[in-house]
Amino acid sequence: MAKPPQHAISPTRNEDYPEWYQQVVRAADLAEISPVRGCMVIKPWGYSIWENMQQALDRKFKETGHVNAYFPLFIPMSYLEKEAAHVEGFAKECAVVTHHRLESDGQGGLQPAGPLDEPLIVRPTSEAIIGELYAKWIQSYRDLPILINQWANVVRWEMRTRLFLRTTEFLWQEGHTAHATEAEALEETRTMLDVYADFAENYMAMPVIRGEKTAEERFPGAVATYSIEALMQDRKALQAGTSHFLGQNFSRAQEIKFQDEEGKEAYAWTTSWGVSTRLVGGLIMTHGDDDGLIVPPRLAPLHVVILPVLRDDDSTTAVLEYCQRVRDALMAQNYDGQSVRVLVDQRDLRGGEKTWQHIKKGVPVRVEIGPRDVESDSCFVGRRDQGPKEKKGIPRSEFTSTIATLLGEIQDNLYARALERRREATEKIDNLDDFRDFFTPRQKNTSELHGGLAYCYFSECEEMPSILKELKVTLRCVPFDETPGKGKCLFTGNASSTIGVFAKAY
RNA sequence: CGGGCUGUAGCUCAGCUUGGCUAGAGCGCUGCGUUCGGGACGCAGAGGUCGAAGGUUCAAAUCCUUUCAGCCCGACCA
């Protein structure tokens, strides 16, 4: 008998976090790198999690008055030239379509032909094309607000890619709204940030900090960028969603004008906001452990997997029938407004092997059912937020009737754990030595989890950028939830009344 | 786009320095048997034009040239 390894994932988080991440993506069968440079294939388990995210978000968008539409993948290059800062921000990472045909090169190969008069850009984001249409659609204050969202893929030609966190092509949603007044647009920007934060915390069980980005980190062309920032288990921050107040920058560039109630011509106030498949990466790094992924119940493709323990005797039929009964009873229950999602895994695999597959995929609840359980009318239940061997027998009817409570407990527990991890990794720091110390690993040669979130007073000064660069630290945001008093800028010692959240980041 | 490295089975790699017979291992896969509530074992098998093109040679995974692709480190990023 080979001794089983201690953990399903090797290396562990402590040993090599980036490698652990990749191994979890693989072990949980979420996605794989594709033959196409920088692009990933999202496999059914990973896509299903994304679908559940989409579903929850889409419902929230609609509850806040938005509707879905779809705009073209291609953007004429001239459209992108209109907003100067926007161009500069995205020009370096645009895929460009210059031809519309292929022809034989005479040697069995193909070559592009039919050059386009004007190149088309594969959208890196859609402000440029959507604004162009809004300009046509908006004539009167009666046409406002326009509150549209689209689910789409976008392409940004990144130099280095990591599954879900940064890929050349990714899936996302982008909301684009236009308003008659500044106040209304600002409120929209803030509302959508709150929608994201609510989703992150209550669905993903991932605590986030809401805040505003500083000028350097702002979306190209925006007046203000708000973001939600989450802390991963390696103590690096992940920007999980952004909401931009675009002011009139885009409407001036794109001539999005309307006549107001007094008959005067005015430029619309616009916003845009988005979250992407990057959230799946955030989910992995928030909850995953050394046995693989843990999916919060509200987003889990499967809530419960039933694993029949079959022997080579005549108990098989009884066990399978019992499994069906348990399945039916579970599916009759409601969790989070939907029927509980259950699978009886009858594949012809060894029990241990099968169990571990589901552990690695992060299914919240596993139920082993064998002759013993049929005999005692009970279920042998394991929770993914607990150790693989912490399984216990529960009377069948009690288990099936309280499944929603159990799933709710797991959801809450995951959030509580994540919040506690963040709390442990958060410090208020008021001098530069401590700051350097906080972000410097103890060991030189091995990778080490270190750092976290540092709350510090700061000012936009000359000293800050070089120190941050040296430490590979970034200013994540100016958090909304902090009420600053009087402090001193960490970098200059000058008086400051602005608190920033600093962290190493993805 | 600068610096370093790697392309050999589905995956991870050995073999290359010093050219030589039918190109290997582990994992995975298929079959049979024993197993099965913490990741099994035994036996038998399938699977490769050694990234591509050209050259040197009696002989090339191995040496030379060209080329393509990928990875890592820098500048950029949801």
Side-chain angles (χ1 to χ4, degrees):
Chain A
M1 280 285 236
K3 201 174 174 186
Q6 223 162 354
H7 302 289
I9 304 298
S10 176
T12 63
R13 288 162 293 180
N14 280 322
E15 287 163 359
D16 184 348
Y17 195 85
E19 181 60 24
W20 166 85
Y21 175 84
Q22 294 195 340
Q23 292 304 324
V24 172
V25 172
R26 194 218 290 247
D29 210 21
L30 295 169
E32 63 186 46
I33 54 172
S34 75
V36 184
R37 181 209 145 91
C39 298
M40 67 175 163
V41 176
I42 306 178
K43 300 182 78 176
W45 189 252
Y47 197 77
S48 189
I49 293 171
W50 174 240
E51 283 180 317
N52 288 339
M53 289 179 166
Q54 283 185 298
Q55 205 178 80
L57 284 165
D58 201 64
R59 198 164 50 233
K60 285 176 184 294
F61 298 157
K62 286 171 181 161
E63 281 167 8
T64 44
H66 302 87
V67 290
N68 286 333
Y70 188 79
F71 297 87
L73 168 69
F74 300 123
I75 303 175
M77 194 164 73
S78 59
Y79 287 23
L80 217 65
E81 288 164 353
K82 292 184 179 173
E83 214 294 328
H86 192 63
V87 184
E88 192 172 339
F90 285 106
K92 282 167 290 188
E93 48 189 49
C94 285
V96 186
V97 179
T98 54
H99 293 74
H100 65 89
R101 242 181 334 114
L102 291 170
E103 61 183 25
S104 168
D105 65 358
Q107 293 160 25
L110 290 168
Q111 62 188 17
L116 300 177
D117 290 342
E118 181 182 355
L120 295 171
I121 308 303
V122 180
R123 62 183 165 216
T125 177
S126 300
E127 278 76 5
I129 179 74
I130 293 180
E132 208 68 26
L133 288 146
Y134 282 8
K136 282 174 59 183
W137 295 351
I138 298 166
Q139 320 264 323
S140 151
Y141 70 93
R142 293 192 180 90
D143 297 326
L144 293 171
I146 290 193
L147 306 171
I148 286 179
N149 173 64
Q150 87 165 343
W151 290 97
N153 57 339
V154 289
V155 167
R156 297 182 187 176
W157 213 263
E158 302 285 357
M159 286 299 106
R160 197 170 312 152
T161 57
R162 286 186 74 191
L163 292 174
F164 289 113
L165 296 173
R166 180 169 299 113
T167 46
T168 300
E169 179 192 22
F170 58 95
L171 306 183
W172 77 347
Q173 63 62 221
E174 47 183 327
H176 295 270
T177 70
H179 307 262
T181 66
E182 179 177 23
E184 192 183 302
L186 270 168
E187 191 191 333
E188 165 79 7
T189 312
R190 190 50 208 266
T191 299
M192 297 323 289
L193 188 76
D194 290 345
V195 163
Y196 289 154
D198 177 65
F199 171 77
E201 301 194 328
N202 293 313
Y203 284 80
M204 296 178 66
M206 179 175 78
V208 293
I209 295 162
R210 287 167 243 219
E212 179 169 355
K213 290 287 190 186
T214 53
E216 295 82 55
E217 303 269 334
R218 201 175 282 153
F219 177 75
V223 173
T225 288
Y226 302 155
S227 76
I228 52 171
E229 302 282 332
L231 188 69
M232 304 294 102
Q233 290 183 66
D234 61 349
R235 301 187 162 215
K236 284 166 80 172
L238 181 78
Q239 180 175 310
T242 48
S243 185
H244 313 292
F245 172 61
L246 304 176
Q248 293 177 314
N249 289 353
F250 281 83
S251 63
R252 286 179 195 280
Q254 299 173 310
E255 299 277 303
I256 308 175
K257 293 185 291 194
F258 65 98
Q259 276 191 299
D260 65 19
E261 291 173 66
E262 292 157 15
K264 281 190 288 189
E265 187 173 76
Y267 287 105
W269 300 83
T270 63
T271 81
S272 68
W273 29 274
V275 295
S276 71
T277 37
R278 177 177 242 204
L279 289 177
V280 178
L283 189 80
I284 297 165
M285 292 195 290
T286 300
H287 300 300
D289 65 12
D290 295 335
D291 289 326
L293 183 64
I294 302 180
V295 195
R298 290 186 91 175
L299 295 176
L302 271 182
H303 294 129
V304 184
V305 62
I306 298 175
L307 304 155
V309 179
L310 302 176
R311 299 206 176 124
D312 239 358
D313 56 29
D314 46 4
S315 66
T316 299
T317 314
V319 169
L320 288 178
E321 275 176 13
Y322 187 87
C323 288
Q324 293 303 326
R325 273 176 72 197
V326 173
R327 186 192 72 145
D328 293 346
L330 288 170
M331 286 175 72
Q333 297 290 314
N334 234 293
Y335 170 68
D336 193 27
Q338 295 172 354
S339 119
V340 172
R341 300 187 275 267
V342 192
L343 174 77
V344 179
D345 188 351
Q346 285 193 43
R347 288 175 305 159
D348 181 22
L349 282 179
R350 289 179 32 77
E353 173 74 24
K354 207 191 280 189
T355 303
W356 279 97
Q357 283 186 11
H358 293 289
I359 291 174
K360 288 186 279 194
K361 287 181 147 189
V363 179
V365 177
R366 301 180 309 279
V367 185
E368 290 169 24
I369 290 177
R372 292 207 297 263
D373 309 288
V374 176
E375 184 72 22
S376 63
D377 199 25
S378 64
C379 296
F380 203 53
V381 178
R383 294 167 51 155
R384 184 59 182 88
D385 61 339
Q386 297 178 346
K389 59 179 167 185
E390 285 178 59
K391 296 178 283 194
K392 62 178 181 186
I394 303 175
R396 177 178 52 83
S397 63
E398 182 189 329
F399 170 65
T400 56
S401 63
T402 59
I403 184 67
T405 312
L406 176 61
L407 292 170
E409 260 177 47
I410 295 173
Q411 179 83 27
D412 293 346
N413 184 34
L414 290 176
Y415 181 77
R417 266 167 35 171
L419 190 63
E420 176 58 18
R421 278 196 203 105
R422 188 179 76 178
R423 198 190 56 73
E424 283 172 2
T426 300
E427 279 187 34
K428 288 188 158 61
I429 294 177
D430 61 6
N431 73 79
L432 206 47
D433 286 342
D434 289 354
F435 188 80
R436 284 179 186 281
D437 190 58
F438 187 66
F439 286 115
T440 306
R442 301 278 167 272
Q443 314 163 56
K444 279 252 156 56
N445 299 323
T446 56
S447 74
E448 170 194 323
L449 302 186
H450 67 280
L453 300 175
Y455 282 70
C456 314
Y457 283 95
F458 76 101
S459 57
E460 307 259 357
C461 54
E462 284 179 14
E463 289 83 347
M464 184 167 81
S466 62
I467 293 173
L468 293 187
K469 191 172 177 185
E470 174 200 330
L471 293 170
K472 293 185 176 170
V473 169
T474 55
L475 173 49
R476 301 316 301 155
C477 68
V478 176
F480 293 144
D481 294 340
E482 290 294 307
T483 41
K486 284 182 183 162
K488 281 187 191 163
C489 170
L490 187 77
F491 307 96
T492 61
N494 298 335
S496 162
S497 57
T498 313
I499 294 175
V501 179
F502 295 82
K504 297 194 176 184
Y506 277 93

